[in-house]
Amino acid sequence: MRFLIIHLAVLIFTVSPMAFANTTLADDAAEKRAEYIRANYTKFEYQIPMRDGIKLFTSVYLPNDDSQTYPIMLQRTPYRVAPYGVSKYKTRLGPSERFEKEKFIFVFQDVRGKSMSEGEFVNMRPQDAYKRGKKATDDATDTYDTIEWLVNNLPNNNGRVGMWGTSYPGYYTSVGSINSHSALKAISPQAPIADWFFDDFHRNGAFVTPMAFIFFDSFDKQLDGPQAHREKGRDSIAPDGYQFFKDLGPLSNVNKHYFHGERPFWNELTEHPNYDEYWQARDVLQHLNKTKPATLVVGGWYDTEDQYGPLYTYQTMSNNNKKSHIKMVMGPWYHGQWNSTSGGKSLGEADFGFDTSAWFQEEVLLPFFKQHLKKADDAKLATATMFETGSNRWRKFDQWPPKDAKEHTLYLGSQESLVSTAVNTGSSEYISDPNKPVPHSAKVSRGWDRPYMVEDQRYAARRPDVLVFETDVLENDLTIAGAIDLDLWFSTNKTAADIIVKLVDVFPGKDENTDKVDAKTGNRHELVRWGSLRGRFRDSMSDPKPFEPNKPTKVRFDLYDVLHTFKRGHKVQIQIQSSMFPFLDINPQNYVENIFHAEEKDFVKAFHTIYHNADYPSAIHFSTLD
């Protein structure tokens, strides 16, 4: 036993000294950053009145140097502006440490009905105050009233305001541009929620069960009044999300066994399975047609929560505004990774070669806000600054998608082929069994995770319930830029189905420089993009309908934008399946009016078919760059 203890001690200190060193360095840097904030800023707390008399809790950090004026950086959040109390300081204020040293007035506000603010909280509140009258309020009017109070009451402000935030705070940033205050000069909506029927909890109608279950367990708890502490949900679901949600069974069991009807938004969500007026009213994109502040939309190619939001926020704003003040950045990031102090170089099994987050913070984000809030030099940002995965480099475009991209089509064929000319080769059938759904990841996780977005897909390609189509080995690089449009002919022997499609980069087995087997990445099947469609919504998200059994039916949808280079020697692969569990809920495959009310008996095994013949040519369409 004594030998074992000594052996373990030696093992610990010989295996990971670098890990200990990196942790220590990170802790030292964080402590120094916190000390700098305490030494150079003074904190104040206010209850700012809105036009209807409701007061919103707001914490303000003013630079101690009062020899000049400063712009205001405002963030509105439903996630608490803690710590509370004027003697308790945040350990980071700006999007990066450079912002704190550059000096801004930093303002953080609990939104209406959350934490220490008064009023009623409404998820993705419809922005319709301008229709309802002078005293009516919504998130846009709360932003306006807050900015009005700040510029008139905070000392040493220069009358210029910027907003930024990620995810839900990104949504509040977008909303701030609706009928915006004249002092709001620049905004950066980062991974902004745009429409919850496509972001976060739905993917073209399919439901993201673990994300919704875990998030709303705590976030959807109702407050009796303002409170500083965070609402807590259950400590954790089981670490094996696949088993946990499989054991859960139909989604109606969530209230039966866990929520007990005490999560109001969950209840509303389950009563609106279609894209009806309830969801349409919460689509913020409809209000972004004539925005005035300079805008920098930020998103991540590998953001599993909000990928729809940044892409469609940018497109909506740039199509309906003067494009010159609307910019976009997309990097190789998971949700919010661009804010990381030491990230951006890798994600899971993918390595991008350098710290892309630090580059973005230094070369893009800070210059953007300095230009518009401090009247500094022109940041000279491209309209679209996009990271090209596969080649691992930043590229700049004067519009997105690039105007010089060329249309390209690949057709699905027999023997798992993906070819440039339509062929008459019949069809491919696969099974979909609700009792053994395709995992969204080969790894055991709770079901809401991040590395799966670049995960090796060989585990899925080798399953009988996944179809695979791929090109021959590429003789030249192939760069795809923009959305991938799917044009599939599909049938099922039942009345309902999901269609899930993955775009995969298949690596060669050997390193071309050494002609040796590549032990690290040889034959890696790297996920580039995936997307889904709940088949009932193939013609309309608002008016679902069943499939007619065994009838070939055209199904069209798109995979969100990519900028990815398939290098020569690689292959382009498409995988098609009908489950992606537990990330997406299981389709019963018998048509029911509301899947949230489905019963055990509704879930059945089905056989699905993808056609690739002269009468029913299935294809994918995309644009390429030379």
Side-chain angles (χ1 to χ4, degrees), residues 391-411:
S391 291
N392 293 342
R393 59 176 178 168
W394 287 104
R395 297 189 66 175
K396 298 180 179 181
F397 302 95
D398 57 9
Q399 71 176 58
W400 182 264
K403 60 185 176 183
D404 55 350
K406 299 176 181 178
E407 294 183 1
H408 197 85
T409 297
L410 291 174
Y411 295 89

Side-chain angles (χ1 to χ4, degrees), residues 44-168:
F44 299 86
E45 294 181 339
Y46 302 98
Q47 291 281 4
I48 298 180
M50 301 294 103
R51 62 190 62 186
D52 62 349
I54 290 294
K55 296 182 177 65
L56 303 187
F57 183 90
T58 309
S59 61
V60 176
Y61 294 78
L62 287 171
N64 290 339
D65 180 2
D66 59 3
S67 64
Q68 57 182 300
T69 59
Y70 301 95
I72 296 167
M73 287 285 288
L74 168 64
Q75 184 171 104
R76 305 186 67 243
T77 179
Y79 300 133
R80 302 196 314 151
V81 300
Y84 297 98
V86 293
S87 64
K88 298 178 180 179
Y89 280 52
K90 286 183 174 293
T91 56
R92 54 185 298 168
L93 299 178
S96 71
E97 187 174 4
R98 277 290 306 278
F99 276 80
E100 293 144 15
K101 293 185 175 179
E102 179 66 32
K103 300 289 178 64
F104 294 84
I105 298 172
F106 294 99
V107 179
F108 303 90
Q109 184 176 76
D110 287 330
V111 299
R112 180 180 291 252
K114 277 293 181 179
S115 298
M116 293 294 286
S117 286
E118 299 173 352
E120 178 188 6
F121 178 76
V122 176
N123 268 300
M124 295 294 289
R125 187 190 305 270
Q127 303 305 306
D128 58 359
Y130 65 94
K131 297 179 181 179
R132 293 186 286 113
K134 194 171 183 180
K135 289 292 184 180
T137 62
D138 56 22
D139 297 319
T141 66
D142 283 353
T143 306
Y144 187 101
D145 294 349
T146 297
I147 292 174
E148 177 74 6
W149 190 94
L150 293 173
V151 296
N152 287 323
N153 289 276
L154 294 186
N156 299 321
N157 83 81
N158 69 0
R160 304 177 77 83
V161 179
M163 289 186 70
W164 92 105
T166 298
S167 195
Y168 223 143

Side-chain angles (χ1 to χ4, degrees), residues 161-186:
V161 179
M163 289 186 70
W164 92 105
T166 298
S167 195
Y168 223 143
Y171 154 81
Y172 287 109
T173 302
S174 292
V175 165
S177 69
I178 302 171
N179 300 319
S180 60
H181 195 286
S182 59
L184 184 61
K185 302 299 183 184

Side-chain angles (χ1 to χ4, degrees), residues 163-288:
M163 289 186 70
W164 92 105
T166 298
S167 195
Y168 223 143
Y171 154 81
Y172 287 109
T173 302
S174 292
V175 165
S177 69
I178 302 171
N179 300 319
S180 60
H181 195 286
S182 59
L184 184 61
K185 302 299 183 184
I187 63 172
S188 182
Q190 300 176 1
I193 303 166
D195 188 325
W196 261 352
F197 208 75
F198 304 96
D199 281 307
D200 285 309
F201 309 116
H202 295 90
R203 304 300 158 92
N204 283 332
F207 186 62
V208 185
T209 307
M211 191 184 300
F213 181 92
I214 295 167
F215 181 77
F216 287 120
D217 184 32
S218 59
F219 188 79
D220 203 21
K221 282 189 173 180
Q222 297 302 290
L223 307 182
D224 293 330
Q227 62 180 43
H229 66 272
R230 185 191 303 274
E231 284 290 348
K232 293 183 179 180
R234 66 202 74 258
D235 291 338
S236 176
I237 67 168
D240 187 345
Y242 188 99
Q243 193 63 49
F244 176 86
F245 288 106
K246 191 168 181 292
D247 292 342
L248 173 67
L251 292 172
S252 56
N253 287 335
V254 171
N255 260 331
K256 182 178 179 180
H257 298 306
Y258 293 101
F259 289 176
H260 308 295
E262 297 174 352
R263 304 295 185 276
F265 189 73
W266 175 274
N267 298 336
E268 293 177 25
L269 182 153
T270 59
E271 292 303 321
H272 296 275
N274 308 325
Y275 193 57
D276 57 16
E277 292 181 357
Y278 175 87
W279 294 111
Q280 293 166 19
R282 286 162 169 75
D283 172 17
V284 74
L285 299 176
Q286 63 189 304
H287 305 292
L288 302 181

Side-chain angles (χ1 to χ4, degrees), residues 312-332:
Y312 280 81
T313 295
Y314 165 77
Q315 289 295 350
T316 301
M317 283 186 163
S318 62
N319 289 340
N320 298 287
N321 291 270
K322 293 180 180 178
K323 286 184 173 62
S324 60
H325 75 285
I326 309 297
K327 315 287 186 185
M328 178 170 66
V329 178
M330 292 291 291

Side-chain angles (χ1 to χ4, degrees), residues 459-480:
Y459 78 92
R462 294 165 180 171
R463 288 179 58 111
D465 46 3
V466 178
L467 295 182
V468 176
F469 302 89
E470 66 182 24
T471 64
D472 290 334
V473 173
L474 298 176
E475 296 181 358
N476 299 291
D477 289 0
L478 177 69
T479 301
I480 298 180

